[in-house]
Amino acid sequence: MAAINQATASNASGRDNAKLLQRMPFWSALLLCTLITALCTWALTRHWNAPKPLTQADINAAVLHTLNTQDLPSRAARAAQLIGPSVVRVRTQDEDKKNPQGEMQDSGVGSGVVISDDGVILTNLHVVQGAKRIRVTFADGLESDAQVVAVQPENDLAVIKASRLPDDLQPATLGSSQSLQPGDEVVAVGFPFGIGPSVSAGVVSGLNRQFGAEGKSIMRGLIQADAAANPGNSGGPLINMAGEVVGIVTAILNPTSARTFIGIVFAATIESASQGMGISPF
C-alpha cells in the first residue's frame, strides 16, 4: 500500500512540474535555459584554462631568453644613469682686468654633486677658492649663481649652495666607503676640461691612501681608483654600482707636467665630508 502511495505522489509531482512549465512564458523558459548554458560554459572554461603555477624551470628559461635576446645596459651605465641628474658643472669667474668695464671672465671649471633638495652641492675647495663668482649648471640646463657655505681644507672639500633650483631637482644618494674593497667597480662622473657630463669606469686600486701636491697639506684616508679623471673632474662624485656616492674626486697623480690622467685618481671619502660638514652619508 505504501508503494502505491509513493508512486501516486511521484506521478502527481511530475504532472505539477509539467503544468508549471506549461504556464511559464516561452521567453522566461528560454532565458532560464540560456543562463544554465552560460554557467556550464563558464565552469568548463575556468577548469580548462586555469593557469599552471610557475616553476623554477619556467623562471630560468624566461631569464635566459631575455639575456639572449635583449641588449642590457652595463652595471657602469646603470650606475651613471642613477647619479646623472645630481651632477652639476661648476664654473668660476673673476674680473677681467684687461676690460675697463670690469666684466667677468671664466677662470676655471670643475664638477659637483647635489646632496640635498634645497640646492646644497658638494665639490672641491680648490675648484671654488678665491672665485669672485660661482656659477653652476644643473642636469636640466638651468644655470644659477652659488655661494660657498662651508669648507674643509684638510680634505680639499667645499659646500656651495645654489640660489636657483630646477623644479625636479634630484639629490644624490650618499653611500659608504667602508664596504669598498680593492677591485670593486666604481664610476666617476664629471666635466673633464669642461666636457660633459662625462663618465669613466674603473676599479678601486687601493684604500686609505695619502696624497699632497707640492706646497699643500697631505690629505689622508683617500680612495685610489683607476677610473679616468682629468682637470675639470675635480669635485665630481665617485660612485659604486648602486649609484651611491662613496667619494669626491679630488686629485690625479701627475709625475710630469702633462696634467693628464696616467692611471691614478684620488677621492676623498664621503665619510670625510660628513664628519666635517654635518652630512649624513648613509
Side-chain angles (χ1 to χ4, degrees):
M1 186 67 179
I4 293 174
N5 290 337
Q6 289 177 355
T8 301
S10 176
N11 291 336
S13 176
R15 287 194 298 272
D16 292 340
N17 289 337
K19 291 178 180 179
L20 177 62
L21 288 173
Q22 290 174 357
R23 290 196 300 268
M24 182 180 293
F26 171 77
W27 292 111
S28 298
L30 181 61
L31 177 60
L32 179 60
C33 292
T34 302
L35 289 173
I36 294 172
T37 302
L39 286 172
C40 292
T41 303
W42 176 80
L44 288 172
T45 302
R46 290 271 296 178
H47 173 75
W48 291 111
N49 294 336
K52 296 188 301 181
L54 283 176
T55 65
Q56 187 61 49
D58 295 330
I59 297 173
N60 292 342
V63 172
L64 183 61
H65 175 75
T66 300
L67 292 175
N68 289 333
T69 58
Q70 302 293 325
D71 292 327
L72 301 178
S74 67
R75 284 160 51 87
R78 292 195 297 270
Q81 289 171 358
L82 291 172
I83 194 64
S86 307
V87 180
V88 301
R89 183 177 68 170
V90 181
R91 185 164 49 96
T92 56
Q93 295 181 325
D94 289 317
E95 294 178 0
D96 185 359
K97 297 180 179 179
K98 296 180 180 180
N99 190 317
Q101 308 285 317
E103 295 180 359
M104 306 293 285
Q105 64 176 356
D106 290 347
S107 57
V109 65
S111 308
V113 59
V114 179
I115 57 174
S116 73
D117 54 13
D118 60 350
V120 173
I121 298 166
L122 193 57
T123 186
N124 277 155
L125 177 58
H126 76 259
V127 171
V128 297
Q129 193 169 30
K132 295 291 184 181
R133 187 183 189 190
I134 302 171
R135 296 279 291 173
V136 296
T137 306
F138 292 95
D140 68 349
L142 176 71
E143 290 193 30
S144 171
D145 285 331
Q147 295 77 38
V148 176
V149 295
V151 298
Q152 192 183 67
E154 63 272 22
N155 288 308
D156 191 25
L157 295 171
V159 172
I160 61 177
K161 188 170 183 179
S163 57
R164 294 179 59 211
L165 304 177
D167 293 333
D168 57 349
L169 182 61
Q170 181 177 319
T173 299
L174 305 185
S176 171
S177 68
Q178 298 301 310
S179 60
L180 290 179
Q181 299 291 331
D184 282 347
E185 296 174 276
V186 287
V187 170
V189 184
F191 292 83
F193 303 106
I195 303 170
S198 298
V199 177
S200 60
V203 299
V204 174
S205 305
L207 299 166
N208 200 29
R209 299 299 199 221
Q210 298 182 11
F211 177 78
E214 185 177 351
K216 296 184 178 180
S217 60
I218 295 177
M219 295 179 289
R220 307 178 189 278
L222 302 174
I223 303 167
Q224 178 190 339
D226 68 353
N230 285 287
N233 274 110
S234 293
L238 185 73
I239 61 174
N240 58 23
M241 291 299 101
E244 300 168 334
V245 180
V246 294
I248 299 297
V249 175
T250 300
I252 56 177
L253 185 61
N254 285 133
T256 70
S257 59
R259 296 187 69 244
T260 56
F261 180 68
I262 63 168
I264 296 179
V265 61
F266 296 108
T269 66
I270 196 63
E271 287 85 358
S272 297
S274 65
Q275 290 172 4
M277 301 176 184
I279 305 166
S280 177
F282 45 81

